[in-house]
Amino acid sequence: MRTLQKYIRGLLCLGLILVMVSAIAGCAQHSEGKTDTENVLTDNKPIIVEITDPAELEHLWQEYIYDAIYTIGSTWEFHSAQEIDPAVVAQFCWVKYQEENDTANLKTVSEENMSLLFPLADALKYAERYFNLTTLEVSKIPNHYFNPEKQAFVLGKNSEKPKPGYAERNSWGVHPAKVTRGADGTLTVELEHYDTYENRRVDSRQTFTLKERPNGSLYFVEGRREFINNHLVALTGDVKDFPAIDGFDGDLQEIYMVGEVEGKLLLSYTPNNENQSPALMLLNPDNMKIEKKVNLKGSINGTEVEYKGGRLVVRFKDKVLIYRGDLEVENEIPLPGVITAKIDREPQYDQNGFSEVYFGGYDIASDLNRIVYSDEIGVKLVTLEDGKETLLAKTVQPKLPEPSRGAPVGPSYHFSPRFVAGDRKIITTLTGYEWTSGFTFCDLEEGTSRTYDIITEGSFATGAIRYDTGLLFVNEYWPDESVGENNRKTDQYKTFFLDFHTGKVTEIEIGQPGDTGYIRSDHQCYVGQDFAAFVTSKRSGGDRANDRHYLNRIKLETLEPEQEIVSITAAEPHILGVMADGRIVFWYQFNLEEKGICITSTTSASRE
């Protein structure tokens, strides 16, 4: 019996030894297999492996990620490659095509347009490789991006500069934070976007997900970008701040206040995306809710909607639609053939590259019987009742020899003609090389025209007219013409108002002009019926978080400025409009998480 017990104890000991040896061997094998990766195993979850091998990270960055940042990365979120804009997919494929092929064999669009035609067939080869796509929906891509006749994308040649490494500084302010591989071979790449490299503040986090094929190649399947609210924006003053406009999910940069009806704002929405419909909207500013919305059929831009004579006028390329203040259609007026024929012409250029065919837009009077338009000849008035056409002002031809300061010298066309001063006058912007060269006033009662030599940089001013009161020019560069070309010490920046009714230009003294010397945008100024509003800024020179912006108001009756009624730290305010009682509606956006739409009081003053 004792012998049997000793035998059993021996077997148990032997079994225990074998189990321990097996366990030790397994640990040794696991230790030998681990290099620069880290395995994380949790209950009921797959194994996630972090990739830290520099060579593998560099290949991933160069082959896939870097070019995705500025192409498909513009799509904030997608759950399959089919959700990405096909034109953006083509841009990514275009980069890869150029890396592997010479573009000398590609054709240009025309002798005048040197953009290259990237064949759809070639794009699909790369779309399949990098996105697992065998087709691209191109029917809705605008013709300036895709040529249906040639079945090719219209793209420019990329810079041949080498890409920065994954650990190097890049122009996008992006830092690879983490790369992991799942048990199914899926790679997840996490990126951090810095607001500036100097302060290393993370503005947003971006994630790309790629799947691995049996041959080791990868293709994109998901992506998203999430912005971070760093609570950098601060508002000072008597102002109500709303997180968003209730009932509107579009881009705030594509809405404009065109009028006011019984304390409600009339807005036009003109999206750049041709697949989205423009619309007219009625906004209650007290609660920032859209009370009514009417979609429009056709394509227009933000300058083609105007509120005049108690009606909304929408200017299309073939007709004018008239809406009442409640957004119900009142009338439809077809454009006369003399105007539509000018709109539909093919562009033509002279030997110096200046356009010989030009259309500068049109406007209709409140009586709906007169239309003004401009072409390469000049400003013309058409009476709809009898079709009579009158030339009001000719195109301004260059005076040769004329000092151009390095700019090409060509004709100055009339742009965005508008009826103003109760339809008694017409004002146009004179085009220039990267600036406006002045404004022309046509007095319909006196039959005269007058030019104002007000030179502005940025966008054209008359296209942004919402009320026929006047134009406000804030901190505009004003050269002293009494001194020579090489002595500009007396040059300065001035603020002045051009009154449509009197034709008088009045300089306005701004006690706190803020910083000057930069091109101001349309959204920094708005002229309403009784008040105007404008933005001044004090910039830090580096980090936007330290910038300070101010809202200022002017009563048009007195032209006395009321300065710095609201201050905004970090985010620049975009003025949506000014109401009849002086309240200013504006919005700001530091990023997609830190944003808001606001309305001031009638007598608000900032409290520092």
Side-chain angles (χ1 to χ4, degrees):
M1 179 63 116
R2 290 179 180 177
T3 301
L4 180 58
Q5 289 176 343
K6 287 175 65 178
Y7 178 72
I8 293 174
R9 283 198 298 267
L11 289 175
L12 291 174
C13 290
L14 179 60
L16 180 60
I17 291 171
L18 291 173
V19 169
M20 291 176 65
V21 170
S22 176
I24 293 171
C27 291
Q29 290 176 358
H30 177 73
S31 177
E32 290 174 0
K34 182 178 179 181
T35 54
D36 59 348
T37 62
E38 177 183 351
N39 290 358
V40 180
L41 180 61
T42 57
D43 294 340
N44 300 321
K45 292 184 179 180
I47 295 176
I48 304 297
V49 179
E50 182 175 356
I51 299 174
T52 58
D53 178 21
E56 188 172 358
L57 291 174
E58 185 67 32
H59 170 73
L60 185 65
W61 174 261
Q62 295 288 338
E63 182 72 10
Y64 300 95
I65 302 304
Y66 182 78
D67 297 319
I69 294 170
Y70 60 91
T71 55
I72 64 171
S74 61
T75 302
W76 300 126
E77 185 171 3
F78 61 91
H79 300 283
S80 68
Q82 287 83 357
E83 295 179 10
I84 309 173
D85 185 345
V88 176
V89 172
Q91 290 173 0
F92 181 95
C93 297
W94 174 233
V95 175
K96 296 305 174 185
Y97 176 89
Q98 292 175 92
E99 290 178 357
E100 299 179 357
N101 302 276
D102 188 354
T103 59
N105 62 330
L106 296 181
K107 296 180 180 180
T108 59
V109 176
S110 64
E111 293 182 0
E112 294 80 17
N113 188 344
M114 300 306 293
S115 297
L116 297 175
L117 292 171
F118 179 37
L120 175 60
D122 289 330
L124 286 173
K125 295 176 184 178
Y126 290 89
E128 184 172 11
R129 183 197 302 182
Y130 290 98
F131 300 96
N132 217 36
L133 293 173
T134 56
T135 60
L136 287 175
E137 176 55 58
V138 297
S139 61
K140 296 182 179 180
I141 298 179
N143 289 347
H144 54 277
Y145 288 131
F146 184 80
N147 188 317
E149 181 181 350
K150 302 290 185 180
Q151 284 293 287
F153 294 93
V154 180
L155 297 164
K157 190 173 182 178
N158 284 44
S159 170
E160 296 181 355
K161 294 180 180 180
K163 301 175 191 176
Y166 81 95
E168 297 175 349
R169 179 171 180 166
N170 59 76
S171 58
W172 311 111
V174 174
H175 169 69
K178 189 178 182 180
V179 180
T180 57
R181 177 183 281 111
D184 60 351
T186 299
L187 265 71
T188 301
V189 181
E190 299 177 19
L191 307 172
E192 290 182 342
H193 287 249
Y194 294 146
D195 188 68
T196 64
Y197 264 109
E198 287 68 28
N199 59 42
R200 296 282 172 147
R201 182 175 57 245
V202 178
D203 176 78
S204 60
R205 292 188 175 90
Q206 191 168 25
T207 302
F208 289 112
T209 303
L210 303 94
K211 281 191 175 181
E212 189 173 16
R213 298 186 180 96
N215 64 3
S217 65
L218 303 169
Y219 60 94
F220 290 93
V221 292
E222 282 188 319
R224 70 177 182 278
R225 186 172 177 182
E226 299 172 331
F227 284 82
I228 298 170
N229 188 347
N230 289 306
H231 303 285
L232 298 174
V233 179
L235 281 76
T236 303
D238 190 358
V239 59
K240 293 181 180 179
D241 188 3
F242 298 85
I245 294 179
D246 189 357
F248 176 75
D249 57 1
D251 190 342
L252 288 174
Q253 296 186 80
E254 298 172 338
I255 62 172
Y256 307 87
M257 175 182 168
V258 296
E260 180 180 348
V261 176
E262 298 179 352
K264 308 293 176 65
L265 306 189
L266 286 169
L267 305 179
S268 68
Y269 171 51
T270 54
N272 292 323
N273 188 339
E274 296 182 1
N275 297 324
Q276 298 176 353
S277 299
L280 303 176
M281 301 182 292
L282 197 61
L283 173 69
N284 186 336
D286 297 323
N287 55 19
M288 288 298 167
K289 290 185 177 181
I290 297 294
E291 295 189 347
K292 189 171 183 178
K293 179 180 179 181
V294 175
N295 289 327
L296 303 174
K297 294 182 180 179
S299 178
I300 58 172
N301 60 47
T303 65
E304 300 307 329
V305 183
E306 193 173 357
Y307 187 61
K308 57 172 62 179
R311 294 174 292 194
L312 270 170
V313 176
V314 184
R315 296 180 283 262
F316 292 93
K317 291 183 178 180
D318 59 346
K319 63 186 175 183
V320 179
L321 284 180
I322 308 298
Y323 287 82
R324 299 196 305 261
D326 59 1
L327 305 187
E328 295 295 329
V329 177
E330 179 180 289
N331 200 353
E332 179 177 326
I333 302 171
L335 281 185
V338 66
I339 297 179
T340 56
K342 297 292 179 68
I343 297 176
D344 295 333
R345 292 177 297 173
E346 291 292 329
Q348 298 177 17
Y349 303 91
D350 64 15
Q351 60 183 3
N352 297 316
F354 293 110
S355 177
E356 293 182 325
V357 170
Y358 177 81
F359 183 77
Y362 74 93
D363 191 21
I364 188 168
S366 299
D367 60 16
L368 307 182
N369 188 45
R370 293 170 296 163
I371 290 181
V372 62
Y373 76 96
S374 62
D375 62 7
E376 65 274 11
I377 304 300
V379 186
K380 300 176 180 179
L381 182 70
V382 178
T383 305
L384 296 182
E385 186 176 6
D386 55 14
K388 182 181 178 181
E389 185 174 274
T390 305
L391 179 64
L392 302 177
K394 294 181 179 180
T395 293
V396 180
Q397 299 298 328
K399 299 176 182 179
L400 299 176
E402 183 177 89
S404 63
R405 299 182 185 178
V409 178
S412 186
Y413 297 114
H414 295 275
F415 188 83
S416 290
R418 294 290 183 264
F419 285 98
V420 294
D423 293 346
R424 293 180 293 107
K425 299 178 181 180
I426 290 169
I427 186 171
T428 69
T429 301
L430 288 171
T431 63
Y433 181 74
E434 296 184 348
W435 58 73
T436 65
S437 60
F439 299 87
T440 296
F441 244 158
C442 300
D443 192 312
L444 298 179
E445 294 179 343
E446 297 181 2
T448 60
S449 65
R450 173 185 176 185
T451 297
Y452 293 84
D453 294 325
I454 302 174
I455 298 175
T456 64
E457 293 184 287
S459 55
F460 298 101
T462 52
I465 292 174
R466 305 301 176 188
Y467 293 87
D468 72 344
T469 47
L471 286 173
L472 179 65
F473 305 90
V474 179
N475 287 339
E476 287 292 343
Y477 174 70
W478 195 262
D480 189 342
E481 299 296 342
S482 65
V483 299
E485 188 75 23
N486 298 323
N487 183 11
R488 293 288 174 184
K489 293 182 180 179
T490 56
D491 288 2
Q492 55 187 304
Y493 291 88
K494 295 183 179 181
T495 296
F496 45 94
F497 181 74
L498 169 59
D499 190 300
F500 289 158
H501 294 272
T502 65
K504 183 180 179 181
V505 177
T506 303
E507 184 176 352
I508 300 173
E509 292 294 334
I510 301 292
Q512 301 292 333
D515 294 339
T516 57
Y518 61 91
I519 298 176
R520 296 175 60 86
S521 303
D522 281 350
H523 66 253
Q524 293 180 310
C525 185
Y526 188 98
V527 180
Q529 186 63 47
D530 300 305
F531 292 88
F534 63 94
V535 176
T536 54
S537 302
K538 295 178 182 177
R539 303 175 189 274
S540 62
D543 189 356
R544 287 190 304 154
N546 297 321
D547 292 348
R548 184 67 64 87
H549 307 278
Y550 303 91
L551 280 175
N552 311 271
R553 181 169 50 211
I554 293 178
K555 190 170 184 178
L556 298 181
E557 184 180 6
T558 61
L559 294 183
E560 290 293 328
E562 182 185 1
Q563 287 214 251
E564 300 184 359
I565 60 177
V566 172
S567 68
I568 304 98
T569 301
E572 181 179 340
H574 296 239
I575 299 176
L576 186 59
V578 185
M579 300 184 65
D581 58 10
R583 287 182 292 169
I584 305 170
V585 182
F586 68 96
W587 59 271
Y588 65 89
Q589 179 173 295
F590 190 81
N591 59 40
L592 291 181
E593 284 296 317
E594 201 161 352
K595 61 182 181 179
I597 177 123
C598 309
I599 183 169
T600 72
S601 70
T602 57
T603 58
S604 56
S606 64
R607 296 185 295 273
E608 298 291 341

